Amino acid sequence: MAGTCLQFFGFISSFIGWIGVVVATATNDWVLTCDYSINTCRKLDELGSRGLWADCVISIGLYHCKPLADILTLPAHIQAARALMITGSFLGLPAVFLLLSAMPCIRMGHDPGTEKYKRFTLGGVLIVILALSSIMATIWFPVSTHKETTIVTFGYSLYAGWIGAAFCLFGGIVIVCCSGESQAFMENRFYYSSQGSGSPTHAKSANV
């Protein structure tokens, strides 16, 4: 029972974390920057917003974004952060499918418990890789950006990436380390059979 609860808990945590990583990847509000001193930017009410896909200028009555379309001229940290976040976002899809298909309440034909355990563990490993990729990107990006310009504050996209990566790392560790052995995926599985028209229907263990 405890193993089943941990499996559900790990899956929910991983799924929420993956959504956070996808949101961070798709949005551009990673950091708010200032090309001058912070006091000057505040007096001019002019800040910049930088993300993976665009640089924006924010001022009174103006919000203009310039897409970062020329890959060859982009700084290395932006290209690396893009690659890591995209990798993490795409890894989440097969990971969630593997975890969902191995949940105790899901049965796909005569699915042996050992096979479900292998899928669940593989899904957990993918989630951990997803988390590590997102952590690297969301730390590397603001550190490298701060070397080029002054960072005023972090944006919601970066917070979404940090929170999502933390949830994925926690969920992945729970799945890989704490979800029990393969025998736990074979417990509490029953099927019903009838022996002849006169015999009562009864439950049998389905440990196969």
Side-chain angles (χ1 to χ4, degrees):
M1 183 64 182
T4 301
C5 292
L6 287 173
Q7 292 160 23
F8 276 108
F9 187 72
F11 171 75
I12 295 299
S13 177
S14 300
F15 182 76
I16 294 174
W18 176 52
I19 296 299
V21 170
V22 171
V23 169
T25 305
T27 53
N28 283 304
D29 193 15
W30 278 50
V31 292
L32 294 181
T33 61
C34 175
D35 292 333
Y36 316 103
S37 67
I38 295 177
N39 291 332
T40 302
C41 285
R42 288 173 177 171
K43 289 179 180 178
L44 295 175
D45 290 321
E46 181 177 318
L47 293 172
S49 176
R50 179 170 295 183
L52 299 179
W53 313 104
D55 276 341
C56 302
V57 176
I58 306 171
S59 60
I60 297 178
L62 174 66
Y63 186 84
H64 175 70
C65 292
K66 176 185 177 182
L68 301 175
D70 193 352
I71 299 178
L72 297 179
T73 61
L74 287 179
H77 70 275
I78 295 181
Q79 297 189 42
R82 279 185 180 182
L84 290 169
M85 294 301 289
I86 290 174
T87 299
S89 297
F90 278 102
L91 280 178
L93 192 60
V96 168
F97 175 77
L98 287 170
L99 295 177
L100 189 61
S101 67
M103 295 300 288
C105 57
I106 303 296
R107 184 174 179 182
M108 302 171 62
H110 296 286
D111 202 9
T114 53
E115 293 299 322
K116 296 186 73 171
Y117 175 75
K118 290 178 182 178
R119 290 202 304 271
F120 204 71
T121 304
L122 177 59
V125 170
L126 292 179
I127 290 293
V128 172
I129 296 174
L130 185 164
L132 295 177
S133 298
S134 302
I135 290 172
M136 291 175 59
T138 52
I139 292 177
W140 190 359
F141 185 92
V143 169
S144 298
T145 301
H146 187 63
K147 294 179 180 178
E148 299 178 353
T149 184
T150 303
I151 293 180
V152 178
T153 184
F154 302 129
Y156 76 90
S157 301
L158 200 59
Y159 286 115
W162 282 336
I163 294 172
F167 269 85
C168 284
L169 184 61
F170 181 73
I173 291 175
V174 169
I175 290 169
V176 174
C177 301
C178 307
S179 60
E181 302 295 335
S182 59
Q183 287 81 4
F185 287 79
M186 303 172 65
E187 295 175 355
N188 301 324
R189 296 177 57 197
F190 299 94
Y191 66 91
Y192 288 88
S193 65
S194 177
Q195 296 180 346
S197 58
S199 60
T201 301
H202 59 281
K204 291 185 177 181
S205 172
N207 294 338
V208 292

